[in-house]
Amino acid sequence: MKAWLQVLRREWMEWRLLVAGAFLLGWFPWAAPLLPGTDHLAPSDVRQAAAILVLVLVGVGAVGFLAPALLARDLASRRLSFFLTRPLSSATLWSARVVAIGSVLMFVLLLVSLPTLVAEPDVIRALGSSADQPAAPLSALGEFFSLRAQPDLPAVLSPALRIPAAVLTLLAVLLLVHWLNIVVRSRSKWLLLDMIGLAVLGTVLWSLRDQLLSLQAFGAMVWIERFWCVGLPAVLWLAGLRQLELGRIDPVRGHRVYSLHAWTGLTVLTLVSAAYVSWITGGTVSDLKSLSGVSPNPTGSHMVVGGTLKGRAGLQGTFIVPLDVDPPSSVRSAGSSVPALFHWKWSGDGSRAVWARCKRLVPTLCELWTQDLAAGTEPRATGIAVRTNYIRLAVSHGGQLIALGHNSGVEVYATATGELIAAARTPDIVDLSFLSARQLRLVSFDPDAHAYRQVIHVFDIDSRESKVTGRIPGDVFGRFYTRSPEGGLLLFNSLVPRRLELRDAVSGEVVVDLTEMMDLNTIDLSSDHVLADARFVREDLLGVVWAPRKRTSLADQPTQDFEVLLLGLPSAVRPHTEIVTRTRVEQARDAQLGAELRTDALTVLVTHGSPTDAPVDPLLAGAGLEPLTATSTYLLHPGREQLELVAHGYIPVSVHRRTSSNHSSTAKLYATGNQALFTIKDGKAQVVFAGTERDRSESATNDYLSFRF
Amino acid sequence: MSFDDLDQDLMGPEDPETIVAARGLTVRYGAKTLLHELDLEVREGQVYALLGRNGAGKSSLVRCVLGLQPVSGGRVELFGRDAWTHRHRLMGRIGVVPEESDVPPSMTGAQLSRFSSGLYDHWDHAAYHSRLERFGIDPKQSFGKLSRGQKAQVMLALALAASPRLLVLDDPTLGLDMVARKAVFEDLVDELATRPLTVLITSHDLPGIERLATHIAVLRDGRLAMDEELESVKQRYRWLDLVDADDVQTLSELEPVSEQARGRGSSVLVQRFDPKSFEELRDALGAHRVSLRVPSLEEILLLQTEPSPSESSPAQATATRASSSAGEGRP
């Protein structure tokens, strides 16, 4: 220990002037506003810019200057023998030098930024951290080096971990530059090994990154980053130690030893990472521990389910599950891993699924994938690239065509070949759907009109001509809401003035004005809550939830009474809109409608009570989302006046009626409890897949299993 | 564990008096073999001078002894332990003066002493500073600003202040002027006079070595061409100055190794000088035709370090006219 401290002290003495220089240089940003040419700029801005410039320059310079001092400079000047002819072990010399030079580097960075931080704490925010933490510069560096270098990765390191992360990252950078110095100074044939290692491992790691990004497995990426944050400096440190132990004063031998050990260690890290990624991406439908979405195809032969996978760093998996396989349990391994539910479409006949798989989100780089469910083929890439996050997707009835709407227009592709068939410049598309095999209906914002007026077009694929068929008057808050399952109606919701209307999907004319019917004009506009919500249950059945009046509970938690309605819409058998079912939810914090499509019952999510004290997921909090707390899921069936409790918690439910040739009537209930998926076939419930025993038993006690059509 | 304890631990059980031992030492650089299955022993109390031409492998051997370079074959032991494996423990009892000073140039003499005092159990702070004072070196002066001679003196002071049992000097006077060389060797002689110390030294400064060494070894063609006590060497070699004596076959018993033409006669260097044989020779040739002269160490070693006929150019070979038996193998 005494010898270790002696080396540490010697190295600090060696570099003390550098530390002092950094402290002096740190005051430069204060003088920067006095420089010529900065008169027209705010002094604070000049200081901040100068501070960042100085920090970056000094940081890069210090790393470049100090890293060779680990060994390379002594090797080049033949001075390493001085230390190796003293009673100093290689471990003592190497570890003391790494600690000394690493700490000098950190002090240099701290001191160079200290004067500015005192006056301009916002500088550190500019680097991506917050200044209200101890050792903010290190914290910012930790985040900058370890996380900001990867733009797709959200900043999720807790403040307590940022400083160790910064220290380890700086150490890794220092040791990498040391390696580079050894390579340059030895000029040996072992450079070939380095180049091969870099190419091979770089390719593997890049491929792993792509795999995780395509599944948006950010949690797993964070774990891999943490693993490398510790593993990389550890491997490089060990390689340096072996270099000193076995290479001693010979630069070429040192290079060989360092490279062999470093690449061996890095290969181990990469293999562990690859195994972890394989484990993460290898989840099947049976690994789902909770479901976030479920959507059957129109024929009920397949279903897409999305949810959180067990033990896979919070990965959201989405799977296509064939439902007609008998016995149903065999479905477990048949799920195909596909990305999240967003940008997902079934063809009208249910024979094909199309979805976007992204390699990169910032900036967006996605590709459309498809699976021919009728032919039972594996998912394949279509070759259709998607380079914007804002897209609207439509698939023709038979699945032969894919329409892609984005900010600047619409494009129609052949699914089989990925060939562009037709395109039109129609900016700001809000919605698109196939009217027929050769016609598309588009809804877009009107570029010629003020604000938010929307225009309905019919686009002919063969002639490539677009024809305006109708307009929907809009205002600042107006929005197109949803389209009916068969596409004949548009639900239009406007806050100012308060309107809820059903419009014809082609002409845009009002078919039914629900505003007066539901007395929506009485809604208190001062509230910032969305007080009405609507979903189509069927083409002729609309579910609506709204709060007729606002109430406040004694617990100082704003609660309201909500009304849930099923409205029968005009059809062949019903000449006028009428209320089919009406029920009340009293004193709830919120009531929303489930987003599941193709259901035969309305899903209602009701939140009672107050938020729990459960820890908030930082990812959700970062995105401005609150977890659903004290929420229960209910079903409202046509003709029943009572909400039927499905379960506590948010339970995606999809109910679909299907008639097959063999059975006069078969009903399927996709009641997706936290862990379980059930079908009811000929009145008998069968478990398609389930999670743990505990969850299965909990789900089994839910009385919705007794539900029958 | 102190170094005293280490002494017990490090000394091999076989021969406690052997401080340095090389057994079958081979050092290769790529395809070139520099040291070829070399055997060498430095025993306690010896001042072992390792001599040879530039590139003979002296420094490589020293690096192997100091555990700075792995051997290609064989084994090097210090105090009975493998020099490569036990380097850092062995260095506690070794003082080293390298061929080129390797001290960090920013360190002052005082800092070097402070640094070293934390590494050695028996660091003699007073001796170090008194030596610097004797050499007229300011302890506050950075090492990089010292003259070459002063650097060598500081290195020697550092090596001796560690109270070593073995002093390894790798051409310590290389590049020094006459005065500095003299100062270094005088200091060494003084030190050796005051305490027992084993020394392994390589040098080209033969007069200095002659004052210091007790044992001489000469490296040639990767092998030891000579490995002998200095006194024994001095007694074995003599110049015989011959006048009008054409037939030198009568000298064969004395093993002539070199012959130089001198006016009407010649000078023959013999390596097995024996007074009785010389008396017989003088009686045979006549006292006026033969006389005796003591060769210098340089003259002796020149023969040992000359390249073998296969390495040297024809001109060199003619000039030296070394006998075929000279310098081959151990005496």
Side-chain angles (χ1 to χ4, degrees):
Chain A
M1 192 63 190
K2 199 174 167 189
W4 192 88
L5 288 173
Q6 286 293 87
V7 177
L8 186 80
R9 187 186 301 154
R10 198 209 81 81
E11 295 300 327
W12 258 94
M13 287 294 289
E14 184 87 16
W15 302 109
R16 65 191 186 281
L17 288 179
L18 188 67
V19 176
F23 178 72
L24 292 177
L25 205 56
W27 294 97
F28 168 72
W30 285 63
L34 303 175
L35 291 173
T38 58
D39 307 347
H40 61 291
L41 300 170
S44 174
D45 291 346
V46 176
R47 270 197 296 272
Q48 288 190 20
I52 290 171
L53 186 70
V54 167
L55 184 59
V56 170
L57 288 179
V58 170
V60 172
V63 168
F65 194 66
L66 287 170
L70 287 172
L71 285 184
R73 195 171 290 144
D74 279 349
L75 276 172
S77 60
R78 302 181 178 201
R79 291 210 164 84
L80 193 59
S81 55
F82 173 77
F83 297 96
L84 294 182
T85 50
R86 317 285 123 184
L88 277 170
S89 70
S90 302
T92 300
L93 179 60
W94 175 245
S95 60
R97 276 202 165 183
V98 169
V99 169
I101 288 171
S103 59
V104 166
L105 177 62
M106 278 167 223
F107 265 86
V108 163
L109 293 177
L110 270 176
L111 289 176
V112 84
S113 53
L114 199 62
T116 306
L117 286 172
V118 173
E120 304 282 349
D122 286 344
V123 172
I124 212 68
R125 287 202 181 92
L127 286 174
S129 183
S130 64
D132 54 354
Q133 303 160 17
L138 275 184
S139 166
L141 276 169
E143 205 171 337
F144 181 79
F145 282 118
S146 64
L147 295 175
R148 294 298 177 195
Q150 169 52 268
D152 293 319
L153 206 58
V156 291
L157 277 185
S158 68
L161 283 176
R162 283 179 191 162
I163 293 173
V167 171
L168 289 169
T169 307
L170 274 180
L171 192 59
V173 170
L174 197 64
L175 292 168
L176 282 170
V177 179
H178 160 72
W179 190 358
L180 190 65
N181 270 278
I182 295 293
V183 169
V184 169
R185 291 178 196 236
S186 82
R187 294 178 194 162
S188 70
K189 62 186 176 185
W190 294 99
L191 175 65
L192 191 64
L193 170 71
D194 296 329
M195 292 172 74
I196 293 170
L198 190 64
V200 172
L201 291 195
T203 305
V204 172
L205 287 172
W206 197 256
S207 149
L208 296 178
R209 170 192 174 276
D210 276 355
Q211 285 182 52
L212 292 179
L213 271 182
S214 70
L215 293 173
Q216 297 169 43
F218 297 127
M221 290 184 83
V222 169
W223 275 112
I224 285 185
E225 182 155 297
R226 286 173 183 170
F227 174 64
W228 277 82
C229 195
V230 175
L232 180 62
V235 163
L236 298 180
W237 187 87
L238 278 172
L241 176 60
R242 297 299 285 163
Q243 177 196 357
L244 198 53
E245 279 177 346
L246 302 177
R248 302 203 182 165
I249 58 170
D250 185 338
V252 175
R253 194 167 56 239
H255 180 192
R256 185 190 69 197
V257 171
Y258 194 100
S259 290
L260 284 175
H261 283 83
W263 287 119
T264 303
L266 293 178
T267 302
V268 170
L269 292 186
T270 305
L271 289 176
V272 170
S273 303
Y276 179 66
V277 170
S278 173
W279 157 253
I280 288 289
T281 57
T284 66
V285 71
S286 60
D287 295 318
L288 288 171
K289 69 172 184 180
S290 65
L291 299 180
S292 55
V294 52
S295 170
N297 69 347
T299 62
S301 65
H302 289 74
M303 177 174 63
V304 57
V305 284
T308 307
L309 290 160
K310 214 164 16 187
R312 284 173 170 81
L315 177 66
Q316 298 289 310
T318 311
F319 301 90
I320 301 173
V321 181
L323 295 169
D324 286 341
V325 181
D326 202 19
S329 59
S330 66
V331 176
R332 261 185 209 192
S333 58
S336 306
S337 176
V338 293
L341 275 170
F342 92 109
H343 298 157
W344 180 279
K345 287 290 174 191
W346 299 109
S347 64
D349 65 355
S351 65
R352 186 175 288 276
V354 176
W355 64 93
R357 170 178 274 186
C358 296
K359 284 184 180 171
R360 198 178 62 209
L361 296 180
V362 185
T364 305
L365 178 59
C366 304
E367 188 179 17
L368 293 185
W369 280 60
T370 185
Q371 184 175 15
D372 188 340
L373 305 173
T377 56
E378 288 295 305
R380 66 170 180 83
T382 61
I384 303 168
V386 180
R387 294 191 180 277
T388 171
N389 206 21
Y390 179 81
I391 62 164
R392 292 287 181 269
L393 198 60
V395 183
S396 64
H397 184 78
Q400 294 89 349
L401 298 177
I402 296 171
L404 192 62
H406 44 78
N407 289 341
S408 56
V410 63
E411 290 154 1
V412 181
Y413 295 90
T415 311
T417 61
E419 182 191 358
L420 179 66
I421 293 174
R425 286 198 167 278
T426 309
D428 298 327
I429 290 175
V430 180
D431 180 65
L432 80 165
S433 59
F434 277 89
L435 276 178
S436 67
R438 310 306 295 177
Q439 278 193 324
L440 272 173
R441 187 203 39 243
L442 317 172
V443 180
S444 69
F445 285 113
D446 187 349
D448 301 325
H450 82 287
Y452 295 87
R453 190 168 72 171
Q454 292 166 8
V455 183
I456 302 172
H457 316 253
V458 171
F459 175 63
D460 188 87
I461 295 168
D462 294 324
S463 66
R464 295 174 175 75
E465 285 182 359
S466 181
K467 184 176 153 190
V468 175
T469 58
R471 285 190 164 78
I472 304 172
D475 55 57
V476 173
F477 301 102
R479 55 182 175 148
F480 167 79
Y481 211 53
T482 185
R483 179 165 22 91
S484 61
E486 291 172 19
L489 295 170
L490 299 178
L491 179 64
F492 184 74
N493 185 14
S494 162
L495 196 60
V496 182
R498 189 74 211 187
R499 303 207 69 78
L500 190 62
E501 301 164 339
L502 285 171
R503 290 175 177 264
D504 183 88
V506 174
S507 68
E509 295 298 322
V510 175
V511 177
V512 180
D513 187 345
L514 303 170
T515 314
E516 298 301 325
M517 187 175 178
M518 297 176 57
D519 199 18
L520 287 179
N521 287 320
T522 62
I523 289 175
D524 178 6
L525 291 176
S526 65
S527 167
D528 56 357
H529 287 86
V530 176
L531 297 177
D533 195 7
R535 290 279 187 280
F536 282 99
V537 179
R538 295 197 302 259
E539 190 70 16
D540 62 345
L541 195 63
L542 181 71
V544 177
V545 61
W546 71 297
R549 64 185 69 83
K550 188 174 178 180
R551 292 178 65 178
T552 304
S553 72
L554 292 175
D556 200 27
Q557 290 285 340
T559 60
Q560 293 121 11
D561 287 347
F562 290 87
E563 195 169 63
V564 186
L565 305 120
L566 282 171
L567 300 176
L569 303 177
S571 64
V573 295
R574 188 184 296 122
H576 303 291
T577 302
E578 61 184 44
I579 294 172
V580 177
T581 304
R582 180 197 293 264
T583 188
R584 290 180 74 80
V585 177
E586 295 187 346
Q587 293 192 34
R589 289 184 65 226
D590 199 7
Q592 294 180 21
L593 300 179
E596 289 73 32
L597 299 175
R598 293 279 179 182
T599 65
D600 287 340
L602 185 65
T603 313
V604 184
L605 307 171
V606 179
T607 305
H608 291 284
S610 57
T612 65
D613 294 329
V616 177
D617 185 335
L619 269 176
L620 291 176
L625 300 174
E626 282 184 20
L628 285 166
T629 53
T631 295
S632 299
T633 303
Y634 297 85
L635 286 177
L636 181 62
H637 302 283
R640 297 192 187 181
E641 297 298 319
Q642 293 291 321
L643 286 175
E644 180 192 7
L645 177 67
V646 174
H648 295 296
Y650 168 47
I651 309 296
V653 177
S654 183
V655 182
H656 180 66
R657 184 193 298 273
R658 177 167 178 262
T659 302
S660 73
S661 54
N662 296 333
H663 302 87
S664 59
S665 175
T666 300
K668 286 185 178 178
L669 169 64
Y670 313 128
T672 53
N674 276 346
Q675 299 280 335
L677 174 69
F678 298 92
T679 65
I680 292 180
K681 197 169 184 179
D682 298 331
K684 188 180 175 187
Q686 298 182 63
V687 176
V688 174
F689 68 85
T692 63
E693 288 297 320
R694 180 182 66 81
D695 296 314
R696 192 185 307 175
S697 64
E698 277 182 2
S699 298
T701 59
N702 290 333
D703 57 0
Y704 66 90
L705 276 178
S706 62
F707 172 73
R708 299 284 187 280
F709 279 103
Chain B
M1 184 184 276
S2 71
F3 286 121
D4 292 332
D5 298 329
L6 276 179
D7 280 350
Q8 298 299 320
D9 185 40
L10 292 174
M11 290 301 284
E14 289 178 7
D15 186 356
E17 290 196 348
T18 302
I19 304 297
V20 181
R23 318 254 185 244
L25 170 63
T26 302
V27 171
R28 285 189 205 97
Y29 293 101
K32 186 183 175 191
T33 302
L34 192 64
L35 299 178
H36 190 80
E37 295 183 0
L38 184 141
D39 292 325
L40 173 150
E41 241 182 47
V42 180
R43 300 179 71 80
E44 185 145 31
Q46 277 185 340
V47 178
Y48 192 104
L50 186 64
L51 308 173
R53 299 187 65 189
N54 288 336
K58 301 188 297 294
S59 293
S60 291
L61 194 149
V62 167
R63 282 197 293 272
C64 291
V65 167
L66 294 176
L68 297 176
Q69 180 174 337
V71 298
S72 308
R75 184 176 169 84
V76 177
E77 289 178 352
L78 279 176
F79 302 103
R81 291 296 169 108
D82 185 82
W84 175 263
T85 313
H86 300 278
R87 176 196 59 80
H88 93 267
R89 295 175 72 196
L90 293 166
M91 288 303 134
R93 274 310 198 192
I94 300 176
V96 181
V97 179
E99 188 174 7
E100 287 182 27
S101 54
D102 53 6
V103 171
S106 61
M107 290 183 86
T108 64
Q111 285 171 345
L112 280 168
S113 178
R114 270 199 299 278
F115 176 68
S116 302
S117 66
L119 306 181
Y120 294 93
D121 277 356
H122 300 285
W123 180 254
D124 193 340
H125 187 77
Y128 173 77
H129 279 277
S130 86
R131 189 164 268 114
L132 289 194
E133 197 178 339
R134 204 158 62 238
F135 289 141
I137 296 169
D138 180 4
K140 291 177 184 167
Q141 182 82 298
S142 299
F143 187 81
K145 292 180 180 171
L146 299 175
S147 69
R148 203 176 172 100
Q150 286 175 318
K151 283 179 182 170
Q153 286 164 338
V154 171
M155 294 299 299
L156 184 62
L158 275 173
L160 292 173
S163 311
R165 286 187 58 192
L166 171 67
L167 190 62
V168 178
L169 308 163
D170 188 7
D171 217 344
T173 55
L174 181 71
L176 302 190
D177 62 32
M178 218 164 42
V179 177
R181 275 208 307 265
K182 186 165 175 282
V184 167
F185 277 112
E186 276 180 358
D187 199 54
L188 272 172
V189 169
D190 289 350
E191 184 71 21
L192 291 173
T194 55
R195 63 165 158 151
L197 189 60
T198 306
V199 180
L200 171 63
I201 182 170
T202 73
S203 180
H204 295 287
D205 189 339
L206 295 180
I209 289 291
E210 203 165 353
R211 290 179 60 194
L212 202 65
T214 62
H215 198 102
I216 298 285
V218 178
L219 261 177
R220 183 179 153 190
D221 298 339
R223 293 184 170 86
L224 284 182
M226 173 186 280
D227 188 1
E228 195 174 356
E229 294 295 326
L230 180 60
E231 279 309 311
S232 160
V233 173
K234 283 181 174 175
Q235 284 174 14
R236 281 199 302 115
Y237 283 86
R238 286 292 184 276
W239 279 112
L240 300 183
D241 295 329
L242 304 172
V243 180
D244 294 335
D246 296 331
D247 183 8
V248 293
Q249 290 300 318
T250 50
L251 300 178
S252 60
E253 279 186 20
L254 301 176
E255 292 188 19
V257 289
S258 179
E259 182 185 354
Q260 291 177 356
R262 284 165 60 94
R264 288 195 305 153
S266 62
S267 294
V268 178
L269 182 65
V270 297
Q271 65 172 357
R272 290 284 174 210
F273 177 73
D274 167 31
K276 190 179 169 193
S277 301
F278 177 70
E279 289 297 327
E280 289 171 2
L281 178 69
R282 193 167 55 180
D283 292 346
L285 294 176
H288 64 285
R289 292 181 62 191
V290 59
S291 60
L292 199 60
R293 191 156 48 88
V294 177
S296 68
L297 184 60
E298 189 170 349
E299 285 172 317
I300 299 169
L301 295 179
L302 199 61
L303 283 172
Q304 307 298 335
T305 54
E306 276 172 348
S308 60
S310 60
E311 285 180 59
S312 61
S313 65
Q316 284 173 317
T318 308
T320 54
R321 287 195 290 162
S323 77
S324 59
S325 63
E328 290 299 327
R330 289 190 178 196

